[in-house]
Amino acid sequence: MSITAHQVVTLHYVLSDVLSDGSTRVLDDSSARDKPLEYLHGHDNILPGLESALEDKTAGDELRVTLAPADAYGIRNEDLVQEVSRASFGSAELEPGSRFQTEGEAGPQIVTVLSIDGDMVTVDTNHPLAGHTLRYQVNVLDVRDATRAELAKGHPLPPGTEHSKVEDRKVL
């Protein structure tokens, strides 16, 4: 069965960051964690560039996909580095490198603390991988039709989940 919209795909991947000298640094390896990725194709569950590369592949296929920053987590935007009041973090313990998830204009976003100077905190709201070229080594393990419940929710669900037990995310 070929990967097309509305199918659940199970795969193992190795995600690497392509460094400026052309070498790579492994960021994540689903095989090493013994936890394959399962996603619903065509429902924005994974990066669009990776999803596009997987279109029409079948179980057993292996591929290498390199995504430029614009096709991954975007081009780094220095306007997203800002100074905010320490009070914005409440009683949270802060140090450079600390990361928090907050609600941004376009949904959840990751905020990274860059520095602390008295009552002012410099934060970066770029995605931590913005500006990075990424390489995926992918092994497609399984492709199956999504259940009615999975289509209603927009992502894979545990086996046996009945469609009558989930709320449909689609607006009528």
Side-chain angles (χ1 to χ4, degrees):
M1 173 180 292
S2 295
I3 298 173
T4 58
H6 314 308
Q7 292 180 318
V8 174
V9 179
T10 305
L11 55 85
H12 269 303
Y13 67 91
V14 176
L15 169 61
S16 300
D17 183 8
V18 179
L19 305 176
S20 59
D21 65 1
S23 64
T24 59
R25 168 182 55 160
V26 173
L27 301 173
D28 191 15
D29 182 341
S30 68
S31 292
R33 291 183 288 109
D34 196 26
K35 186 161 175 65
L37 172 68
E38 190 175 60
Y39 79 96
L40 181 56
H41 196 79
H43 289 256
D44 299 323
N45 290 177
I46 63 174
L47 291 172
L50 180 57
E51 188 171 67
S52 177
L54 287 162
E55 187 81 20
D56 295 325
K57 301 296 185 257
T58 61
D61 283 351
E62 294 185 21
L63 61 150
R64 178 180 285 186
V65 180
T66 301
L67 299 177
D71 298 324
Y73 291 99
I75 305 294
R76 186 166 169 70
N77 180 351
E78 292 306 320
D79 290 340
L80 297 178
V81 174
Q82 309 163 9
E83 279 194 342
V84 296
S85 167
R86 170 68 179 88
S88 301
F89 294 91
S91 62
E93 205 163 308
L94 298 180
E95 61 183 50
S98 298
R99 288 195 175 135
F100 300 88
Q101 183 169 320
T102 64
E103 197 61 38
E105 292 176 13
Q109 67 181 13
I110 298 170
V111 175
T112 304
V113 174
L114 299 179
S115 64
I116 304 164
D117 185 14
D119 288 338
M120 296 307 290
V121 179
T122 302
V123 298
D124 184 353
T125 59
N126 282 288
H127 187 282
L129 294 175
H132 293 247
T133 298
L134 302 178
R135 180 169 296 146
Y136 286 87
Q137 181 68 39
V138 179
N139 180 6
V140 179
L141 302 175
D142 187 48
V143 181
R144 65 172 174 80
D145 290 327
T147 66
R148 185 171 167 189
E150 289 168 326
L151 292 173
K153 287 302 272 185
H155 59 81
L157 296 169
T161 304
E162 296 180 31
H163 73 275
S164 60
K165 304 291 184 202
V166 298
E167 183 179 331
D168 191 335
R169 72 178 180 126
K170 298 177 182 138
V171 178
L172 299 176

